[in-house]
Amino acid sequence: MDILKSLQRVDWQKCELLPVIVQDVKNSEVLMMAYMNKEALELSLTTKIAHYFSRSKQRIWKKGESSGHIQKIDSFYIDCDNDTLLIKVIQEGVACHTGRRSCFFTELETLKSSSDVEIDTKEMYGVIDTLYHTIQERKNADPKSSWTAALLSKGDNAILKKVIEEAGEFCLAYKDDDEIEMIYEAADLTYHMLVALGAKNISPELIKQELSRRFNMSGIVEKNSRSN
């Protein structure tokens, strides 16, 4: 297969991110929808393992890099306008971060779920990423039954008030040298910071990338770099 020719068939002038529909090769079930930039498509064509570009993480990610639930690509199909891709895959494990087989499990009009969780994803993705995804899902929940939905519905001032409140309570616990309260308040502060990040659609992955950037860099140098 000539990978270069395959890449050139895509009309990249329309958009830098190519919408990709992912379908199970065995039963034609639609598993998910994602995006590929040119580099991600080249990696996918070369390795026959699905790679995508994450808009929230702002980087290329190999499907299953955290969970091990990779997608082995059987075939690639491009649409008649050369700006959308359909890939047929052999899905190992589940496709959705919620632990369900497919990302399409919520009926739009009734909000009823058509499938059950097959795998607990907390161990795969870590509690922070799992909590962030849960917060994002709660945006459409009933504020009467979800504290997260209620807080998000109240707007920025309510969210920021809780962040400041929890930060203050953590500081008091620290001052009192109360280890149990410090842990409790740190958990509260982390949750409310994730709500604030979720309200602005800022993935914790970007925080991790920024912290990683600062490794082997003096704090003084880092602060000075921001002031220049």
Side-chain angles (χ1 to χ4, degrees), residues 163-178 181-182 185-186 189:
V163 171
I164 293 170
E165 177 185 322
E166 300 301 341
E169 290 178 358
F170 173 80
C171 291
L172 290 174
Y174 181 91
K175 183 181 179 183
D176 293 340
D177 199 23
D178 188 331
E181 278 299 305
M182 284 176 64
E185 298 300 343
L189 177 57

Side-chain angles (χ1 to χ4, degrees), residues 113-144:
S113 176
S114 61
S115 63
D116 297 325
V117 173
E118 297 181 14
I119 295 173
D120 185 350
T121 60
K122 289 195 291 296
E123 291 186 7
M124 295 188 300
Y125 298 115
V127 67
I128 295 296
D129 286 339
T130 301
L131 179 54
Y132 177 78
H133 285 304
T134 302
I135 288 168
Q136 293 290 65
E137 292 167 11
R138 292 291 190 273
K139 285 182 176 181
N140 297 318
D142 183 355
K144 294 180 181 179

